[in-house]
Amino acid sequence: MWLSEYNNITMKHDYKVLDIIPVIGLGTWEMNGRDCINSVVKALDSGYRHIDTAQIYGNEKEVGRAISESGLKREDIFLTTKIATVNLTSARIKQSFSESLERLTTGYVDLLLIHWPTAAMNLEECLSTMFELKENGTVNNVGVSNFDPILFIKSISLGPVITNQVKFTPYHDEFKNMKIAKEHNKIITAYSPLGRGGIAKDIFLERIGSKYGKTASQVSLRWLIQQGNVSVIPKANNEAHQKENLDIFDFELSDEDMSDIRQLSKKHAWQ
Ligand code: NAP
C-alpha cells in the first residue's frame, strides 16, 4: 500500500504526504541466514512491498536473495538500506554502497539513509555524495536516520532528503521531528514501532483496540500512520504477526483516541 493510495482509500483528512514511501514495510534487524530469507519471502507473499535493511544488519545478501526468490519484479519493491557509521566519508560511502548493491544483487536502492549521525562526520560531504549517487541513478531517494530536529532541519537545507527514520511509538515524543517533516513535506519513518514487541502487552492500547476489534500492536501502527506523514517498518519473523501488522487499513482511530494515545509519551518519557 502506497501512501497516496492509502490516503485516497481510507482517510477523510487531506494529508500532505510525499508519494514515495509505502506506508508499511518490513524491518529486518536481527533477521539472519535462511530464516531471514524465509521471513522476507513470506512477507512479500503476504503483500509487503517495502523492505528495510542496513549495512550493519549483516543480512543484505539474504534480503537480496529473498527478493529474487519472491518472483516479484525488482521495481515493485521499495528497498531501503543504510550507510553504517564507520563508512561516513565520501570515499567510504561510495565503496561501501557499491558493496551493498552487490550483496543485494540489485542495481539500485529506493532509499539510502545515513544510519546514525556521528560527531566526526561531515554532513555536507556525506549528503552531497549521496545526492551524487542519486544523480547517477543507483539511489532513488536519500534520507537520514536518528537525526535530532536541528540536524534534520540542517539536512533538509542541504538537498532532497525525504525522510528521517527515528524510533517512534506512542511511548515516544517525536513531535518536533514530526512538525519539521510536516512543514517541509517530508516523511517520518517509524522504527521499532512495536516497542520491540513490548507494545503488544500494553493494557491501555489493548482496551482501545477492543473497540475496533484490533490488537494493541495494530493500534500502535495505526496511530502512527494516521499522523498522515508516517511510514512504519515493524519487524516480524512470525507470519501471523506479519499479517496482523498489515491489517491496519480497515479502521480509523477517533480523534479522541488519537489524542489519548498521544498522552502515553508523557508517561513513558524516560524510554
Ligand atoms: P519492532 O518492529 O518494534 O518489534 C519487533 C518485535 O515485535 C519482534 O520480536 C516481533 O516478533 C514482535 N512483533 C511483531 N509483530 C507483532 C505483533 N503483531 N504482535 C506481537 N509481537 C509482534 O522492533 P525493531 O525490529 O527494533 O524495529 C523494526 C525495524 O526498524 C527493524 O527491524 C529495523 O529494520 C528498523 N530499525 C532501525 C533502526 C535505526 O537505527 N534506523 C533501529 C532499530 C530498528 P517476531 O519477529 O517473532 O514476529
Side-chain angles (χ1 to χ4, degrees), residues 29-240:
W29 181 29
E30 294 183 331
M31 286 187 186
N32 299 108
R34 189 69 231 179
D35 283 350
C36 175
I37 301 173
N38 292 343
S39 292
V40 176
V41 169
K42 271 186 289 173
L44 291 169
D45 266 359
S46 304
Y48 287 81
R49 291 293 180 269
H50 169 188
I51 308 293
D52 181 88
T53 181
Q55 291 176 340
I56 56 160
Y57 297 171
N59 64 11
E60 288 177 316
K61 205 167 158 200
E62 286 77 10
V63 167
R65 179 79 183 272
I67 290 173
S68 115
E69 284 189 16
S70 75
L72 290 167
K73 290 192 202 132
R74 170 65 187 89
E75 61 266 33
D76 289 337
I77 295 165
F78 187 97
L79 178 60
T80 301
T81 196
K82 314 183 192 83
I83 301 288
T85 50
V86 291
N87 293 327
L88 291 177
T89 63
S90 183
R92 289 295 310 146
I93 288 172
K94 286 182 185 160
Q95 178 60 33
S96 70
F97 177 61
S98 107
E99 289 161 9
S100 284
L101 289 181
E102 258 176 56
R103 286 189 292 269
L104 289 162
T105 55
T106 182
Y108 69 97
V109 295
D110 297 279
L111 178 61
L112 182 66
L113 304 177
I114 293 178
H115 201 147
W116 285 86
T118 67
M121 78 176 179
N122 178 329
L123 183 60
E124 286 87 342
E125 177 191 325
C126 292
L127 283 176
S128 72
T129 306
M130 291 161 75
F131 297 144
E132 236 180 85
L133 295 172
K134 180 168 151 58
E135 291 294 307
N136 295 344
T138 48
V139 167
N140 282 346
N141 298 284
V142 170
V144 296
S145 178
N146 297 298
F147 274 35
D148 67 25
I150 292 171
L151 218 44
F152 184 31
I153 281 269
K154 177 150 193 225
S155 68
I156 289 171
S157 76
L158 293 170
V161 163
I162 68 156
T163 190
N164 188 7
Q165 183 180 122
V166 292
K167 189 177 198 175
F168 195 14
T169 73
Y171 296 173
H172 295 94
D173 181 348
E174 273 301 335
F175 298 107
K176 282 193 187 142
N177 267 323
M178 282 286 296
K179 187 164 179 283
I180 293 165
K182 282 203 172 170
E183 281 168 7
H184 294 268
N185 209 22
K186 307 293 176 189
I187 290 173
I188 293 293
T189 307
Y191 78 65
S192 306
L194 301 174
R196 313 223 64 217
I199 287 278
K201 301 178 208 102
D202 187 292
I203 293 165
F204 176 74
L205 294 177
E206 220 174 66
R207 204 165 57 233
I208 291 195
S210 67
K211 291 195 274 182
Y212 303 89
K214 297 290 173 181
T215 64
S217 302
Q218 289 171 317
V219 170
S220 177
L221 297 175
R222 179 71 204 188
W223 179 81
L224 287 163
I225 62 168
Q226 211 169 301
Q227 310 288 328
N229 63 336
V230 175
S231 169
V232 290
I233 48 166
K235 173 257 178 187
N237 263 107
N238 177 300
E239 199 172 354

